[in-house]
Amino acid sequence: VQLQASGGGLVQAGDSLRLSCAASGRTFTNHVMGWFRQAPGKEREFVADITWNLGTTSYADSVKGRFTISRDKAKNTVDLQMNTLKPEDTAVYYCAARRSASRNVNWWGQGTQVTVSS
């Protein structure tokens, strides 16, 4: 399985950014795709995820109402639309995938840096 994340960058507070994760190597039926982030000196934390089959989403409280996760079954991509970005959103963002029956992430992608200046 390969998860290729892209779309990070340097933006100002209040701006928007869209991350994309290209997934390959298996069919993702009965999988959950998600995004995590890790800020300097902090542990990696959950941001959002989406079930591949039905598109059911969940979000961390810190991003609810600002971030939207989506998946495109035809393109095998998972996107994270981030609006009204804040400096505290600065982190390396990781794409991840797990089998629906698993509680832990089974595959990680490489990270993409998001920096939000105040």
Side-chain angles (χ1 to χ4, degrees), residues 95-108:
C95 181
R98 63 176 174 87
R99 300 180 187 90
S100 296
S102 174
R103 297 182 65 180
N104 298 317
V105 171
N106 297 116
W107 301 279
W108 292 98

Side-chain angles (χ1 to χ4, degrees), residues 6 38 49 59 75 115:
S6 61
Q38 187 167 19
D49 66 18
Y59 297 91
K75 295 181 180 179
T115 304

